[in-house]
Amino acid sequence: MSLNSVFSQKSYKIFVRIAAALAIVILISSIITNIFIYKPDSQEEDALKHLIILVVENSIAIIPCIFILINPKFDFLIAFDAFLFSVEIAFHTPENVMSIYMFALGFVVLYATHRLDKNRIPKLIILGVLLIIEYLFAIRFGAVVFLSSLHLLIGHVFVLSLILYFVVFALKRKSNENSETSNFTLNTKSINSTVLNLAEYPELKQSDVDLLKYIQEGKSYSEIAAKIKSSEGYMKNQFAKIYKTLSVTNKKEFLVKYGESKIVFEAQEPALASD
C-alpha cells in the first residue's frame, strides 16, 4: 500500500470516523466503569466530586466526537477534546505525561487541519500561555512536584520534536525518491523511444544490428558467439568496439540508453545536386 493511498481523502475520512467512534466507546466505558466502582458508603466526598467531574467532562468530550462521526469536516474538534483532557490531567496529576501528549495531539490537529494558517502568531501565543498555565498547576503540589513536572515537560517535548522531525524527514525523503524514480523513468522512456541508426557511425556495419538486438533480448556473449559460430573472446572484443563507438562503457549502460530503441542500419541517400 502506497503512502498516497494511506493518506488519500477517502482513507482519511474513514480513519477520522473510526477514531471518533473508538473515542466515544472509550469515554462511555470510562463513565460506566467509574460509576460501578464508586461506593457511596466507603468513599470520601472528594471521590464523589471526582466522579461528577469525570462524567461531565467525558459527556462534553463525546459531543465533538459525534459531530466528527457524522461529518469528518469537523475533524478540528479533535483538538478541543485533546486540550480539554490535557488541562484536566495537568490539574489533577501534573506528573502524568499523558497531558503532554494530549496537548501535542491538539497542536498537531490544528496544524494539520489548517486552523493555524490565519493569525498564526496570536494563536501560537494563546497555546503557549495555555501550556504554561497547565504546568503552573503543579505549584500547588509543592516545589519538588513542580520542578519534576517541568523536567518531564522539557524532556517529552524534546522527544516529540525529534519524532516529528524524523517522521517528516522520512516522508519527505520517500517523496523525493518517488519523484526521482518517476523522472528517471520518464527520461529513460524518452531515450529508449528513439531510433538507433548504426549507419550514422562509419565504424559500424549492417551485421552489428543483429548483434545489438541479441543484447536487447538479454542474450549473453557466449550465446551470441554460438549463434554466429564465433568465440566468446572475439564477441567481447567486438562489443567493446561497438560500445566505444556508441559512447557507452558496457552492456549495462547500453541497455539503459538504448534498451528499447529500434536498431536499424539505414544509409542516407546523397542529396541530388541542383542544376
Side-chain angles (χ1 to χ4, degrees):
M1 184 180 291
S2 65
L3 284 174
N4 289 335
S5 62
V6 171
F7 295 106
S8 66
Q9 193 67 20
K10 183 178 179 180
S11 298
Y12 175 77
K13 289 180 179 179
I14 294 172
F15 171 80
V16 169
R17 280 195 167 105
I18 292 174
L22 289 174
I24 291 172
V25 171
I26 293 170
L27 291 168
I28 292 176
S29 64
S30 175
I31 292 174
I32 295 172
T33 301
N34 280 273
I35 289 175
F36 273 105
I37 64 175
Y38 173 71
K39 296 178 181 179
D41 295 336
S42 60
Q43 298 291 328
E44 300 178 358
E45 186 179 344
D46 287 345
L48 177 60
K49 187 188 298 182
H50 175 74
L51 176 62
I52 294 172
I53 292 173
L54 183 141
V55 172
V56 172
E57 185 180 64
N58 283 18
S59 300
I60 293 173
I62 288 171
I63 296 172
C65 294
I66 294 173
F67 277 98
I68 297 168
L69 191 60
I70 296 171
N71 193 334
K73 75 177 183 179
F74 294 110
D75 53 1
F76 63 92
L77 291 176
I78 296 173
F80 172 81
D81 279 355
F83 290 130
L84 175 67
F85 283 103
S86 178
V87 172
E88 190 272 335
I89 294 169
F91 183 80
H92 292 290
T93 52
E95 291 184 302
N96 189 338
V97 296
M98 183 57 72
S99 64
I100 302 171
Y101 291 103
M102 295 303 288
F103 189 93
L105 173 62
F107 175 80
V108 171
V109 169
L110 290 179
Y111 181 82
T113 55
H114 304 289
R115 299 292 163 174
L116 296 178
D117 289 354
K118 295 181 180 179
N119 301 318
R120 179 174 296 181
I121 300 301
K123 289 177 181 177
L124 289 176
I125 292 174
I126 292 172
L127 290 176
V129 170
L130 176 61
L131 185 61
I132 292 172
I133 291 173
E134 281 191 19
Y135 281 87
L136 287 177
F137 289 153
I139 293 178
R140 63 196 181 96
F141 292 97
V144 175
V145 174
F146 172 72
L147 292 174
S148 177
S149 61
L150 183 62
H151 179 265
L152 283 173
L153 169 65
I154 295 171
H156 283 274
V157 168
F158 175 69
V159 172
L160 284 172
S161 301
L162 289 177
I163 293 172
L164 182 62
Y165 173 81
F166 284 110
V167 168
V168 173
F169 176 78
L171 292 175
K172 183 70 174 177
R173 184 174 62 180
K174 182 69 175 177
S175 176
N176 290 339
E177 287 175 355
N178 291 338
S179 177
E180 289 173 3
T181 302
S182 177
N183 292 336
F184 176 78
T185 302
L186 290 173
N187 292 336
T188 302
K189 285 183 177 179
S190 64
I191 291 172
N192 290 338
S193 62
T194 60
V195 174
L196 176 59
N197 186 6
L198 301 188
E200 296 177 0
Y201 301 89
E203 300 88 346
L204 304 181
K205 48 189 181 294
Q206 177 74 51
S207 59
D208 293 331
V209 173
D210 294 330
L211 296 179
L212 292 175
K213 284 183 178 179
Y214 287 142
I215 293 295
Q216 287 181 325
E217 293 170 3
K219 289 182 170 52
S220 65
Y221 294 138
S222 59
E223 290 174 329
I224 298 172
K227 277 186 170 294
I228 65 171
K229 296 179 172 52
S230 181
S231 67
E232 184 178 351
Y234 173 79
M235 280 292 93
K236 289 182 178 179
N237 291 333
Q238 189 68 13
F239 275 108
K241 295 176 183 177
I242 295 173
Y243 295 150
K244 184 177 180 180
T245 302
L246 295 176
S247 299
V248 294
T249 55
N250 50 39
K251 182 196 294 187
K252 184 177 179 180
E253 192 172 328
F254 169 79
L255 289 173
V256 170
K257 193 172 183 179
Y258 299 110
E260 295 180 10
S261 297
K262 182 180 179 181
I263 302 176
V264 298
F265 193 94
E266 296 177 354
Q268 297 288 332
E269 294 184 3
L272 296 174
S274 58
D275 295 333

